[in-house]
Amino acid sequence: MDQLRQSLLDAPIIEKGDYEYFVHPISDGVPMLKPGLLREIVIKIIRKANLENVDKIVTPAAMGIHISTAVSLMTDIPLVVIRKREYGLDGEVSLHQQTGYSEGDMFINDVNEGDRVLVLDDVLSTGGTMKAVLDALDHIGADVVDTVAIIKKAGPNELDDSEHHVKTLINVTVEDGEVVVVDEHGDD
């Protein structure tokens, strides 16, 4: 059985207000992330994503960093991390993101007009973070070649009525306190 699928089926669920949240090594760093699971995910990303002429991998902090680092190492594509800390560097662009359980500002450095980027993130749930990132990259004038989220929590999200499309590796929902796999191959 596929490691990502099984690890999601085994994931504990916690409540964050009205939001049912699954705790998973990819999205939370707990329980520990086993190398075999990370390797499986990176291989799936490389096979699914359009990497042709991509200049940079862009990922929001914090849980996209480990995945994007591994993809960067395997593809030799440089990595840009969108941070929650402002540095005030030339060309820094701020964005505001809101998720199902938090909100705040994030800052993009080292992405310029005309850069061809792959956006990677751990989970697409409400779409708040991804929409803010993609809108900011559009504002910069970057060419978003492809966008991939490892896990999609099925249901409506902020990208539904936008021109942005996100590929996913697996789609799940949470029902009665358990993760249910909706599509084990995700969205193309």
Side-chain angles (χ1 to χ4, degrees), residues 31-126:
M32 74 177 149
L33 176 56
K34 295 179 182 174
L37 175 58
L38 181 58
R39 190 171 19 259
E40 176 183 287
I41 289 167
V42 169
I43 289 167
K44 286 181 178 186
I45 291 169
I46 291 171
R47 289 179 178 161
K48 188 167 256 199
N50 176 6
L51 300 176
E52 188 173 338
N53 299 317
V54 168
D55 301 316
K56 298 172 182 174
I57 297 168
V58 176
T59 192
M63 294 314 299
I65 295 174
H66 55 296
I67 300 157
S68 298
T69 299
V71 173
S72 176
L73 287 170
M74 294 298 296
T75 62
D76 287 327
I77 300 170
L79 172 60
V80 173
V81 177
I82 301 173
R83 300 294 313 248
K84 294 179 181 176
R85 177 180 299 135
E86 182 175 11
Y87 294 96
L89 300 172
D90 286 343
E92 184 170 74
V93 174
S94 67
L95 61 104
H96 187 78
Q97 56 94 22
Q98 184 171 352
T99 70
Y101 51 88
S102 72
E103 72 176 291
D105 294 325
M106 299 181 82
F107 303 89
I108 302 175
N109 285 284
D110 297 317
V111 176
N112 304 301
E113 183 176 350
D115 283 348
R116 294 178 49 82
V117 301
L118 166 66
V119 178
L120 286 181
D121 203 5
D122 59 330
V123 176
L124 175 63
S125 183
T126 64

